[in-house]
Amino acid sequence: METYSRIDLTEFQSRVDQLRNAITEVVVGQERAVDLILTAILANGHVLVEGVPGVAKTLLTRLISKLIDADFKRIQFTPDLMPSDVLGTNVFNIKTQEFEFHKGPVFAQIILVDEINRAPAKTQAAMFEVMEERQSTIDGVTRRMSPLYTVLATQNPVEQEGTYRLPEAQLDRFMMKVNMGYPSYDEEVRILERHHTNSNFVKLDDVKPVLSVEQLLQMRNYLDNVLVDKSLINYIAQITQQTRLSQAIQLGASPRASICILQGSKAYALLQGRDFVTPDDIKTIVPAVLEHRLIISADAEMQGFTVEKLAQSLLDKIEVPK
């Protein structure tokens, strides 16, 4: 039997607890969304957050960015946004008689892109190219992004006027798609009570970072030492293979999706305080990794299936490793 060194996760868990506690002081509920976003950041992946207006998408993503003491920029995507507004541009300096490059917001370490489907295709393409390559070439000069470079993008699924649908190839650049739903009755009561009394109500401006960039990058290094049994590797491969064989799915998951499930499961296990992956970790991660990648057939859509339901039915069919 293969042996491996156990990881001491005491300090790691302390930092994760600090992050979670700081988030709950500002945002009520949304525990699943918080866990998935933290998982993606830890696994060095970009996140697409989707939800109706007013469920704290921007608040949550801004809060997480603020809790990490990193260079942060927010880009509001609009129909008139140009690629140079995102990437930056060369400006002629009269004093030096030379062109100087003025960096755009995309060069920050953590970037919040609000309503990413509102910008035209040309601007979207420029953004996604940087997300994939983690570098930008402007006028023949290539500039690399920070090792932390992470994009958190929000999208409103309801309003379609003035939006540009993201192509599947570009959606694939996101490691996960996280859906933020409405709060429960009890959570909504707590939200109202906080706003009414201002008790225990922490404003975003008062939030202090709890994690440095160096600490986060150090936490990412733990991923290499997380144990994944061979049976779980096979389990992940079976899941993605089933998406390609199912008659209800028009476009199945690519090998990139398999890698995202693997890395996401390892990061999620760490967040739960474990140095090994379980089948339940994989089951938790799969819907978020597959939802924006699969295209369901017209017949399945007419029968009321959603990608999330299909992903769950595929998981139910596959035997879980013991």
Side-chain angles (χ1 to χ4, degrees), residues 46-70:
H46 306 298
V47 192
L48 178 63
V49 184
E50 188 171 277
V52 297
V55 290
K57 298 186 300 298
T58 302
L59 175 64
L60 178 57
T61 47
R62 279 188 67 196
L63 172 62
I64 291 173
S65 302
K66 196 151 189 183
L67 290 171
I68 301 165
D69 192 15

Side-chain angles (χ1 to χ4, degrees), residues 25-37:
E25 286 181 2
V26 180
V27 177
V28 175
Q30 303 292 359
E31 287 87 359
R32 180 179 177 275
V34 168
D35 267 1
L36 288 174
I37 293 171

